[in-house]
Amino acid sequence: MLSGDGGSGVDGIETVPPAPEVSDPELSVLVDRVESAVAELAGQGSVSWTNADRRAVIQRMEMLTRSVTAYSHTWLNELIAQHGLDVYPGSVPSSVAWMLRITPRSAGARVRLAEELGDRTALSGEVLLPLLPRTADALRAGLLDAKHVQMIREFFRHLPSSVDPQTRDLAEEQLVGYASTRRPDDFAPLVAHLDSILNPDGDHDEDDDENGKPKPPKRRDAFFYLGEQGADGMSEGNFCVDPELRAYLEALFSKAAKPGVNNPADPTSVVREDERSDETSGDGGPQPEPTGDGGGSSDAGLRGSGDGRDDDDGCGDGGCGDECGCGTELEGTAGSDDTDGSDGSDDAAGSDNATEPGAHPGSDTTVDDDAPDTAARDAAAARDRRPQRERHHDALKVALRHTLASGTLGTHRGLPVTAIVTMTLKDLDAGCGYAMTATGSRVSIRDAIRMASHAHHYLTIFDDNGRALYLGRSKRIASADQRIVLIARDRGCSFPSCTRPATWCQAHHVDDWVEGGPTDIDSLTFGCDMHHALVGTGSGKWATTKTGAGHRYPGRMLWHPPTGMDPKRRGLINHAHHPEEVLYPPDNHGDAGDEEPRQPA
């Protein structure tokens, strides 16, 4: 029996879950004593304490916190081994995230810590020591901080497999002894020195292969990590690229990241260059041209030929304002030289008619002798105050936009691989606020409007008459039009607390297609690959219904957990993609309805 699908709202956002009950009487008494002692300590009037007592209390509570955390690693290992997390959906880290109300990333880190620092149980029932037993003992005694543990784990992760167990045990004993009496910053040099003694060759493997030849040195795995988007819309990350990608990037930056080229803050930045040195026919092709009509930079040097389109990437005729966020200054407020100094390949003015090193004036390496065009490029370079790393950023942005616009990447889940941006008509009319992308990131309305100037507009306004959004039983797979409407409406997976964006999701039928459910826009929602598989009629399966007109969030999707998680199977709504619903609740938000709001137990 499902509940919560017709009331005024059951979303579990604002209700603190009750403390879980402990069924074992003796264990319950112990836990109650600990909680009572903490509450009693917190109720003491600390104003009357002496500074010596404050220091002592803080230090002892820190050690107690470390100790309890260390013992919880064993409890978590036992819970996982005995399938105690099966009442929660998804993988083990996802289940731990549900249980503790933390992020899956933090839950995964906690599971890995438990594997190394908690007691384990063999198939025979024998209790096995932690993988790092001395570290676990010191942590249970409250002697180690999380940073100490991180450095010790990193040390053994990089230690070669050829090091014998006795040496490993002695190394752990030494490290734990040092860490127990030192701060992490004092401990770090000792870890590095011991690593240099036991692993003098670093990541190189000098073992011979079967042919008697030395193996090549190990190469780090290539990766590109884009971090979470900050409150200002900017994102940080890190990467490690292989030689091939580096070669592509260097070729791109050598042309598209020159001073004065692809500058979003300069409406007269160089947009297109056709260098005659790149042409062997000498037929007098198009000459380099700056834009003089207010358009910003575009994909300079990345198109084979100009098509006359105005690729506006600027921020207005007056340059960028304080609220733009592009990191550039107003035109005319800076000097004329590029003071970055870190790009030795760029000439002072960024023009293309410079002589290559070692070449003689008048040779065929001289690119262009057209004075007006050269003057325009020199002027654009003189106004460009971007450092080299920002020019690289803008060049890569132009290259990616050009690649997406080419259409060569095909489709993904029925839609072209491109940036899909949705916004409300109110924000569009006001020209401020944020738009949402299909990948779950925020883009300012100003940036979205500028992006639209380069786009082939797919749809402008959706309604029942303009496009076919109600397919009934004629088609099982959602159409491209329906997916775009779902992107604008759901923004991502509708499963509670899931943050996966729309591009990671399938179109889920609220009423299963096999049971006669239609493929209509009102009967579809987004479900990511992991959570979409949780829906079913069997034991441990989730169910989906849609809120009615009387619900405080009408038209939203309710996910009903299995009876093992909630015997009443009360519906849950995902607000992760709609934070405005929590910040600006509807007028009838105070009406509790016929169901009590709850968090997943």
Side-chain angles (χ1 to χ4, degrees), residues 111-133:
V111 171
R112 291 189 293 272
L113 270 175
E115 292 173 350
E116 297 184 18
L117 302 176
D119 292 340
R120 299 158 296 143
T121 304
L123 295 177
S124 60
E126 178 187 1
V127 177
L128 304 176
L129 293 177
L131 296 178
L132 298 174

mmCIF file of all heavy atoms in Angstrom, residues 111-133:
data_model
loop_
_atom_site.group_PDB
_atom_site.id
_atom_site.type_symbol
_atom_site.label_atom_id
_atom_site.label_comp_id
_atom_site.label_asym_id
_atom_site.label_seq_id
_atom_site.Cartn_x
_atom_site.Cartn_y
_atom_site.Cartn_z
ATOM 1 N N VAL A 111 33.980 3.650 3.684
ATOM 2 C CA VAL A 111 34.014 2.202 3.452
ATOM 3 C C VAL A 111 35.445 1.733 3.214
ATOM 4 O O VAL A 111 35.876 0.691 3.733
ATOM 5 C CB VAL A 111 33.099 1.840 2.262
ATOM 6 C CG1 VAL A 111 33.299 0.383 1.856
ATOM 7 C CG2 VAL A 111 31.641 2.093 2.608
ATOM 8 N N ARG A 112 36.214 2.504 2.446
ATOM 9 C CA ARG A 112 37.609 2.123 2.196
ATOM 10 C C ARG A 112 38.441 2.186 3.479
ATOM 11 O O ARG A 112 39.325 1.349 3.697
ATOM 12 C CB ARG A 112 38.205 3.018 1.114
ATOM 13 C CG ARG A 112 37.623 2.773 -0.272
ATOM 14 C CD ARG A 112 38.392 3.525 -1.341
ATOM 15 N NE ARG A 112 38.238 4.968 -1.194
ATOM 16 C CZ ARG A 112 37.261 5.672 -1.751
ATOM 17 N NH1 ARG A 112 36.338 5.045 -2.477
ATOM 18 N NH2 ARG A 112 37.194 6.978 -1.599
ATOM 19 N N LEU A 113 38.169 3.176 4.325
ATOM 20 C CA LEU A 113 38.858 3.240 5.613
ATOM 21 C C LEU A 113 38.534 2.031 6.471
ATOM 22 O O LEU A 113 39.416 1.451 7.125
ATOM 23 C CB LEU A 113 38.459 4.525 6.346
ATOM 24 C CG LEU A 113 39.297 5.772 6.118
ATOM 25 C CD1 LEU A 113 38.681 6.971 6.823
ATOM 26 C CD2 LEU A 113 40.731 5.564 6.582
ATOM 27 N N ALA A 114 37.266 1.640 6.475
ATOM 28 C CA ALA A 114 36.855 0.486 7.268
ATOM 29 C C ALA A 114 37.541 -0.785 6.785
ATOM 30 O O ALA A 114 37.902 -1.657 7.590
ATOM 31 C CB ALA A 114 35.332 0.332 7.214
ATOM 32 N N GLU A 115 37.737 -0.925 5.477
ATOM 33 C CA GLU A 115 38.387 -2.108 4.937
ATOM 34 C C GLU A 115 39.824 -2.246 5.443
ATOM 35 O O GLU A 115 40.321 -3.352 5.638
ATOM 36 C CB GLU A 115 38.368 -2.061 3.413
ATOM 37 C CG GLU A 115 36.982 -2.214 2.803
ATOM 38 C CD GLU A 115 36.986 -1.996 1.297
ATOM 39 O OE1 GLU A 115 38.047 -1.533 0.792
ATOM 40 O OE2 GLU A 115 35.981 -2.265 0.637
ATOM 41 N N GLU A 116 40.507 -1.115 5.659
ATOM 42 C CA GLU A 116 41.911 -1.146 6.054
ATOM 43 C C GLU A 116 42.115 -1.047 7.561
ATOM 44 O O GLU A 116 43.115 -1.548 8.088
ATOM 45 C CB GLU A 116 42.670 -0.008 5.367
ATOM 46 C CG GLU A 116 42.697 -0.100 3.854
ATOM 47 C CD GLU A 116 43.535 0.992 3.218
ATOM 48 O OE1 GLU A 116 44.343 1.600 3.935
ATOM 49 O OE2 GLU A 116 43.376 1.244 2.013
ATOM 50 N N LEU A 117 41.182 -0.403 8.274
ATOM 51 C CA LEU A 117 41.408 -0.107 9.691
ATOM 52 C C LEU A 117 40.413 -0.802 10.617
ATOM 53 O O LEU A 117 40.483 -0.607 11.838
ATOM 54 C CB LEU A 117 41.352 1.407 9.930
ATOM 55 C CG LEU A 117 42.353 2.239 9.133
ATOM 56 C CD1 LEU A 117 42.138 3.715 9.374
ATOM 57 C CD2 LEU A 117 43.780 1.845 9.490
ATOM 58 N N GLY A 118 39.485 -1.570 10.085
ATOM 59 C CA GLY A 118 38.519 -2.283 10.918
ATOM 60 C C GLY A 118 38.760 -3.777 10.922
ATOM 61 O O GLY A 118 39.360 -4.331 9.988
ATOM 62 N N ASP A 119 38.319 -4.438 12.008
ATOM 63 C CA ASP A 119 38.406 -5.899 12.051
ATOM 64 C C ASP A 119 37.501 -6.494 10.979
ATOM 65 O O ASP A 119 36.428 -5.955 10.666
ATOM 66 C CB ASP A 119 37.976 -6.416 13.426
ATOM 67 C CG ASP A 119 38.961 -6.018 14.516
ATOM 68 O OD1 ASP A 119 40.112 -5.692 14.173
ATOM 69 O OD2 ASP A 119 38.554 -6.022 15.692
ATOM 70 N N ARG A 120 37.949 -7.610 10.419
ATOM 71 C CA ARG A 120 37.196 -8.284 9.367
ATOM 72 C C ARG A 120 36.878 -9.707 9.801
ATOM 73 O O ARG A 120 37.481 -10.235 10.730
ATOM 74 C CB ARG A 120 38.001 -8.287 8.068
ATOM 75 C CG ARG A 120 38.326 -6.897 7.521
ATOM 76 C CD ARG A 120 39.521 -6.944 6.587
ATOM 77 N NE ARG A 120 40.733 -7.343 7.281
ATOM 78 C CZ ARG A 120 41.674 -8.115 6.751
ATOM 79 N NH1 ARG A 120 41.544 -8.575 5.517
ATOM 80 N NH2 ARG A 120 42.750 -8.440 7.455
ATOM 81 N N THR A 121 35.953 -10.325 9.103
ATOM 82 C CA THR A 121 35.542 -11.694 9.423
ATOM 83 C C THR A 121 35.751 -12.571 8.200
ATOM 84 O O THR A 121 35.265 -12.253 7.105
ATOM 85 C CB THR A 121 34.069 -11.738 9.852
ATOM 86 O OG1 THR A 121 33.871 -10.843 10.952
ATOM 87 C CG2 THR A 121 33.682 -13.145 10.264
ATOM 88 N N ALA A 122 36.478 -13.657 8.389
ATOM 89 C CA ALA A 122 36.707 -14.597 7.292
ATOM 90 C C ALA A 122 35.456 -15.429 7.053
ATOM 91 O O ALA A 122 34.507 -15.428 7.835
ATOM 92 C CB ALA A 122 37.899 -15.497 7.616
ATOM 93 N N LEU A 123 35.447 -16.182 5.938
ATOM 94 C CA LEU A 123 34.302 -17.037 5.621
ATOM 95 C C LEU A 123 34.093 -18.107 6.681
ATOM 96 O O LEU A 123 32.974 -18.569 6.909
ATOM 97 C CB LEU A 123 34.509 -17.675 4.248
ATOM 98 C CG LEU A 123 34.530 -16.717 3.052
ATOM 99 C CD1 LEU A 123 34.812 -17.488 1.764
ATOM 100 C CD2 LEU A 123 33.218 -15.965 2.943
ATOM 101 N N SER A 124 35.180 -18.488 7.335
ATOM 102 C CA SER A 124 35.081 -19.499 8.382
ATOM 103 C C SER A 124 34.585 -18.916 9.698
ATOM 104 O O SER A 124 34.376 -19.669 10.663
ATOM 105 C CB SER A 124 36.448 -20.150 8.602
ATOM 106 O OG SER A 124 37.410 -19.180 9.003
ATOM 107 N N GLY A 125 34.404 -17.629 9.764
ATOM 108 C CA GLY A 125 33.972 -16.979 10.994
ATOM 109 C C GLY A 125 35.106 -16.446 11.832
ATOM 110 O O GLY A 125 34.876 -15.806 12.877
ATOM 111 N N GLU A 126 36.344 -16.679 11.419
ATOM 112 C CA GLU A 126 37.508 -16.209 12.166
ATOM 113 C C GLU A 126 37.635 -14.688 12.032
ATOM 114 O O GLU A 126 37.464 -14.134 10.945
ATOM 115 C CB GLU A 126 38.767 -16.897 11.640
ATOM 116 C CG GLU A 126 40.049 -16.444 12.330
ATOM 117 C CD GLU A 126 41.283 -17.023 11.661
ATOM 118 O OE1 GLU A 126 41.117 -17.750 10.652
ATOM 119 O OE2 GLU A 126 42.396 -16.753 12.132
ATOM 120 N N VAL A 127 37.953 -14.046 13.128
ATOM 121 C CA VAL A 127 38.142 -12.595 13.121
ATOM 122 C C VAL A 127 39.544 -12.275 12.615
ATOM 123 O O VAL A 127 40.545 -12.786 13.155
ATOM 124 C CB VAL A 127 37.930 -12.002 14.527
ATOM 125 C CG1 VAL A 127 38.202 -10.504 14.518
ATOM 126 C CG2 VAL A 127 36.515 -12.285 15.017
ATOM 127 N N LEU A 128 39.631 -11.462 11.582
ATOM 128 C CA LEU A 128 40.908 -11.081 10.988
ATOM 129 C C LEU A 128 41.287 -9.681 11.443
ATOM 130 O O LEU A 128 40.434 -8.794 11.596
ATOM 131 C CB LEU A 128 40.818 -11.117 9.459
ATOM 132 C CG LEU A 128 40.382 -12.446 8.837
ATOM 133 C CD1 LEU A 128 40.254 -12.300 7.326
ATOM 134 C CD2 LEU A 128 41.369 -13.554 9.184
ATOM 135 N N LEU A 129 42.584 -9.470 11.649
ATOM 136 C CA LEU A 129 43.080 -8.155 12.055
ATOM 137 C C LEU A 129 42.949 -7.164 10.900
ATOM 138 O O LEU A 129 42.868 -7.559 9.723
ATOM 139 C CB LEU A 129 44.533 -8.258 12.503
ATOM 140 C CG LEU A 129 44.817 -9.049 13.795
ATOM 141 C CD1 LEU A 129 46.312 -9.110 14.054
ATOM 142 C CD2 LEU A 129 44.094 -8.426 14.970
ATOM 143 N N PRO A 130 42.953 -5.867 11.175
ATOM 144 C CA PRO A 130 42.931 -4.877 10.099
ATOM 145 C C PRO A 130 44.165 -4.997 9.207
ATOM 146 O O PRO A 130 45.200 -5.551 9.612
ATOM 147 C CB PRO A 130 42.920 -3.533 10.857
ATOM 148 C CG PRO A 130 42.400 -3.857 12.215
ATOM 149 C CD PRO A 130 42.870 -5.252 12.511
ATOM 150 N N LEU A 131 44.068 -4.488 8.005
ATOM 151 C CA LEU A 131 45.197 -4.528 7.083
ATOM 152 C C LEU A 131 46.357 -3.698 7.609
ATOM 153 O O LEU A 131 47.519 -3.995 7.327
ATOM 154 C CB LEU A 131 44.752 -4.009 5.708
ATOM 155 C CG LEU A 131 43.693 -4.845 4.984
ATOM 156 C CD1 LEU A 131 43.311 -4.196 3.663
ATOM 157 C CD2 LEU A 131 44.199 -6.265 4.754
ATOM 158 N N LEU A 132 46.055 -2.648 8.353
ATOM 159 C CA LEU A 132 47.080 -1.833 9.007
ATOM 160 C C LEU A 132 46.829 -1.913 10.516
ATOM 161 O O LEU A 132 46.266 -0.996 11.120
ATOM 162 C CB LEU A 132 47.017 -0.384 8.517
ATOM 163 C CG LEU A 132 47.275 -0.158 7.030
ATOM 164 C CD1 LEU A 132 47.040 1.290 6.649
ATOM 165 C CD2 LEU A 132 48.709 -0.575 6.661
ATOM 166 N N PRO A 133 47.247 -3.011 11.167
ATOM 167 C CA PRO A 133 46.849 -3.246 12.557
ATOM 168 C C PRO A 133 47.411 -2.223 13.542
ATOM 169 O O PRO A 133 46.710 -1.793 14.458
ATOM 170 C CB PRO A 133 47.379 -4.658 12.843
ATOM 171 C CG PRO A 133 48.470 -4.869 11.846
ATOM 172 C CD PRO A 133 48.076 -4.113 10.630
#
